[in-house]
Amino acid sequence: MPSNIRRICRLLCLLACAAPAAAAPPAEAKISAAELQADFTQMYQDLQAAHFNLFAFTPKRDMDRRFAHMLAAIRNPSTRFQAQLRFELFAASAHMGHTRLDSPTSQWDAYRKNGGKGFPLQIRIVGQRVYVAENLSGLASIVPGDEITSLNGQGMLRWLERTERHVSAETAYMAHSIMEYDFAIYLWVELGAVDGFDLAVRGKGASMRHLHLPARTAQEMLLARQSQPAMLNLEKPLREAKLLEGHVAYLRPGPFYNADAKTGAEEWDVSSFKAFIDDAFAGFLRAGADRLIIDLRGNPGGDNLFSDVMVSWFATKPFRFASQFKVKVSEQSIAANAARIAHDAEAAGPVSREYAQLYARSRIGEIVDFPLAEALPRADGGFTGKVFVLIDRQSYSNAVAVAALVQDYQFGAILGEATSDMATTYGAMEQFSLAHTGLLVGYPKARIVRPNGDLRSHGVAPDIEIRIPVVQSPADEVLQQARAIALR
């Protein structure tokens, strides 16, 4: 199943971290219809007040109509979890990754910890088709690479529509990239606990097969995985630097934050990451490498404080990760920033203090520029060989910003497949809490424009495309292709 690092990728936002959560009612306590209506109304009002541009992708008239319909449908008490699912359906209709409530991951994990069963296949979505990426069912009749054409009598496109309506994402491509990790979770949200699923599948060049797929527990899936052929794992080790055949340097920097931090302050302490990066490049230089592949596949992102350390090793001129970083000033953002500083000033760091100063000299509702200092190439010289950055649809957040930066400043070539996350984006997510449910609602307070000034919201397209296969083996065919391109 997806790791915690993969799951937080959509919550990691440039120059922001979440404020402490408000107190919430017990998980199974019923919240009255009147309180739910009040919270639902508060959510929409506060989103309009605090969001940089709530209606960028969905017109206000459509959001107003949906709000009125959903508000009228709140007639009975519900649990906090039920409210969370209902409210996220509305937030997701804005079609923006950072306009969202928390995913149901924690509830799913608790369900599975108690022996709950779920859909035992990992999927890969290519265009309009859904394939088996990993088979954890224990059934030998299902083979990775098989296409799933229907589930419980409905076509897979219909199931993608049903599950993706719970997910905040700018595009179907981005929602697909998330479903490749979380399809089982949202299938559980849609169907609840079930004993199995009726599938229609077909292998390449084979006829359709109809079968019953039993739901499996987490333990059963773990056992099934141990009997399956090994698959590519880009998370172990988390960070890696080595030489490939042909004297090509290879760097997988891992997330641009400290994934193993024990405190909030440690999470954004760049010292250990800098030591790793400096050692890696020193080793590349000693070895005389003149080609470098930086692997950002499956990278959840983080903060440019980390990535700038890496880019400075091969940058040929001063650089910024964005050409514009505009922030909307709101009471909600001011309160969230102040709460973060009050909760743990050290963990909040200098960026939160910069926000506080910016807010102090600005008016509510004003759009202001957040100052971005230039980062500089290394004064003592760096890596002067050719640089190639490898990306995929699961390169998120700051990993996308790094790819855009390298492309726009012409520091190197981008390889792989287009990112699903946006290069010009609404980001720097903050949160406010709802009065009765205690639910946290995320929203972007900023618009961040990629270095070349392109205002369109789309991902980073590779300079040279490499098709990502449905099933990836430890031999890593994609990296082999990237190495061959680097040696041309």
Side-chain angles (χ1 to χ4, degrees):
M1 299 305 293
S3 74
N4 288 334
I5 289 172
R6 300 289 184 107
R7 288 249 176 86
I8 64 173
C9 61
R10 293 201 306 136
L11 287 176
L12 288 171
C13 310
L14 298 169
L15 299 181
C17 55
E28 296 305 316
K30 290 284 188 176
I31 303 162
S32 72
E35 291 173 325
L36 292 170
Q37 290 173 341
D39 273 11
F40 193 62
T41 301
Q42 180 200 342
M43 179 176 73
Y44 192 32
Q45 291 175 344
D46 283 6
L47 278 174
Q48 292 180 76
H51 200 292
F52 189 91
N53 184 3
L54 180 61
F55 309 113
F57 304 126
T58 304
K60 186 176 185 300
R61 64 179 179 276
D62 294 343
M63 293 285 284
D64 285 349
R65 188 181 305 115
R66 184 167 178 79
F67 170 77
H69 174 76
M70 292 185 68
L71 181 66
I74 301 175
R75 298 175 181 175
N76 300 305
S78 72
T79 66
R80 185 173 187 268
F81 181 45
Q82 291 167 336
Q84 176 182 331
L85 296 176
R86 183 195 297 263
F87 288 13
E88 172 57 18
L89 285 173
F90 179 75
S93 66
H95 297 296
M96 206 173 295
H98 293 124
T99 305
R100 63 191 306 276
L101 280 77
D102 285 344
S103 77
T105 300
S106 61
Q107 292 88 351
W108 165 252
D109 289 343
Y111 165 75
R112 302 194 71 213
K113 185 177 181 180
N114 290 324
K117 296 180 179 182
F119 187 73
L121 305 178
Q122 291 289 298
I123 65 171
R124 169 80 176 177
I125 305 167
V126 182
Q128 302 294 306
R129 295 185 172 181
V130 179
Y131 297 89
V132 178
E134 187 175 13
N135 174 19
L136 303 179
S137 70
L139 296 184
S141 56
I142 297 177
V143 179
D146 282 349
E147 181 184 358
I148 309 171
T149 61
S150 72
L151 187 157
N152 291 354
Q154 290 189 325
M156 289 306 295
L157 286 180
R158 174 57 183 145
W159 281 107
L160 291 180
E161 291 172 358
R162 285 183 62 174
T163 53
E164 288 169 3
R165 67 196 181 103
H166 298 279
V167 175
S168 294
E170 278 81 351
T171 64
Y173 181 53
M174 185 176 183
H176 287 173
S177 77
I178 295 164
M179 278 302 126
E180 289 183 351
Y181 294 134
D182 290 347
F183 182 68
I185 298 177
Y186 290 103
L187 195 58
W188 170 69
V189 167
E190 282 288 307
L191 298 178
V194 296
D195 290 329
F197 313 87
D198 293 320
L199 297 186
V201 302
R202 64 184 170 202
K204 187 175 181 180
S207 58
M208 193 79 67
R209 310 190 309 275
H210 295 270
L211 53 89
H212 182 73
L213 176 70
R216 299 299 192 193
T217 65
Q219 184 63 29
E220 288 171 335
M221 292 189 205
L222 179 61
L223 291 174
R225 174 173 278 136
Q226 293 171 358
S227 65
Q228 293 292 305
M231 298 182 64
L232 179 66
N233 187 343
L234 292 172
E235 294 181 359
K236 293 183 179 180
L238 195 62
R239 310 189 196 279
E240 186 176 17
K242 62 183 180 181
L243 286 179
L244 305 177
E245 185 180 350
H247 228 55
V248 176
Y250 172 82
L251 175 65
R252 186 165 72 246
F256 296 110
Y257 60 95
N258 292 325
D260 56 355
K262 301 297 188 296
T263 67
E266 288 179 4
E267 187 174 7
W268 305 107
D269 180 0
V270 76
S271 55
S272 62
F273 179 83
K274 184 177 185 303
F276 165 75
I277 293 294
D278 290 350
D279 287 348
F281 276 96
F284 298 155
L285 293 177
R286 284 195 303 270
D290 61 358
R291 303 284 194 280
L292 169 63
I293 296 172
I294 298 174
D295 194 347
L296 300 183
R297 290 175 295 168
N299 191 306
D303 196 280
N304 72 294
L305 177 69
F306 286 69
S307 57
D308 286 354
V309 168
M310 179 185 74
V311 175
S312 68
W313 267 99
F314 56 86
T316 56
K317 54 188 171 184
F319 61 93
R320 294 187 180 93
F321 75 89
S323 58
Q324 296 179 35
F325 195 108
K326 292 187 176 294
V327 177
K328 181 178 179 180
V329 181
S330 69
E331 294 177 354
Q332 291 81 1
S333 293
I334 292 171
N337 194 64
R340 186 160 47 245
I341 294 172
H343 178 71
D344 189 335
E346 184 180 4
V351 172
S352 292
R353 292 191 288 275
E354 287 184 59
Y355 274 122
Q357 294 168 7
L358 184 69
Y359 294 150
R361 60 178 183 266
S362 305
R363 301 184 306 275
I364 298 296
E366 189 177 2
I367 303 294
V368 296
D369 288 309
F370 188 92
L372 297 176
E374 277 190 330
L376 303 174
R378 289 180 63 88
D380 56 353
F383 183 84
T384 58
K386 292 185 178 180
V387 175
F388 302 86
V389 176
L390 186 55
I391 58 174
D392 66 5
R393 67 184 69 183
Q394 272 107 23
S395 304
Y396 293 111
S397 182
N398 192 48
V400 177
V402 170
L405 186 160
V406 170
Q407 190 173 62
D408 293 353
Y409 281 95
Q410 299 182 337
F411 291 159
I414 308 301
L415 313 179
E417 68 176 355
T419 66
S420 62
D421 206 355
M422 305 295 112
T424 289
T425 186
Y426 294 94
M429 193 179 81
E430 290 286 13
Q431 294 177 310
F432 58 82
S433 63
L434 301 180
H436 302 288
T437 59
L439 290 168
L440 293 174
V441 181
Y443 64 92
K445 66 177 177 288
R447 192 181 193 197
I448 305 162
V449 179
R450 67 182 294 173
N452 68 4
D454 189 346
L455 296 176
R456 295 173 297 168
S457 292
H458 57 71
V460 174
D463 299 307
I464 302 175
E465 185 175 358
I466 299 175
R467 187 183 66 83
I468 309 296
V470 171
V471 181
Q472 301 190 63
S473 75
D476 199 349
E477 297 85 352
V478 172
L479 180 57
Q480 292 181 32
Q481 291 182 61
R483 185 186 66 83
I485 292 168
L487 288 171
R488 288 176 185 171

